[in-house]
Amino acid sequence: MADCFSASEYHRNFGEIVHTSISQAIQHLTTHPKSDRIHKLLYWVCKGRWENVTAKLDRAPIEALLQELVQKASTLEILERRIHKAASALNKSETYTHIATVIVHSCTDYYASISTHVDPENGSEDLFGLLTNLALGDETTPATDIAVTDRFEI
């Protein structure tokens, strides 16, 4: 017989998996030997401008920038395309293309964890955004916005 669990249990477990995946990516990027370049590239991708001033970069930490980026990119392929395009536009494009690859690789587990639950290609963009916001701790997303059945079977 199939295992059943409630929608609230499903959301809690899903949120924990996604939160763990994004936390691991953030940890990897913030402790990476090239974290300064990672920070600048993420800032460039998210804000649309290059920043060298440490005080300004500090106001937008890697954690916030990565969360902003994954909320805008519903799939790993979109994230990869967006970040590599931004890296290729820079003066040190070879260096920053390598940094872009590090960022994409760090996000692989995050996107793998959501791809088993959401299919953005089949019109699940709204559900993707809601679940991502919930997993990232966005308390402004009302749980009532998520339309799911009461029970899931595995």
Side-chain angles (χ1 to χ4, degrees), residues 40-102:
K40 289 176 182 180
L41 182 57
L42 285 171
Y43 192 93
W44 166 243
V45 172
C46 293
K47 305 300 181 192
R49 62 185 181 277
W50 189 256
E51 189 56 67
N52 282 318
V53 178
T54 304
K56 288 184 181 180
L57 287 167
D58 287 346
R59 283 181 272 192
I62 288 176
E63 176 180 359
L65 294 170
L66 187 62
Q67 289 176 354
E68 181 180 336
L69 183 58
V70 300
Q71 287 176 342
K72 291 178 180 177
S74 59
T75 67
L76 184 63
E77 293 76 21
I78 292 170
L79 177 125
E80 185 172 22
R81 222 179 7 254
R82 184 173 286 171
I83 202 158
H84 277 283
K85 182 178 179 181
S88 68
L90 297 171
N91 286 339
K92 297 180 181 179
S93 61
E94 188 174 319
T95 299
Y96 280 99
T97 297
H98 174 71
I99 297 298
T101 301
V102 169

Side-chain angles (χ1 to χ4, degrees), residues 15-34:
E16 288 171 7
I17 292 167
V18 173
H19 180 74
T20 299
S21 299
I22 198 74
S23 294
Q24 289 172 342
I26 291 165
Q27 176 68 21
H28 179 254
L29 296 174
T30 56
T31 60
H32 192 276
K34 300 288 183 184

Side-chain angles (χ1 to χ4, degrees), residues 14 18 67 70-71 110 114 118 126-138 141:
F14 173 76
V18 173
Q67 289 176 354
V70 300
Q71 287 176 342
Y110 166 76
I114 62 170
V118 179
D126 292 339
L127 182 58
F128 168 81
L130 288 169
L131 292 175
T132 300
N133 288 341
L134 286 172
L136 295 175
D138 179 0
T141 304

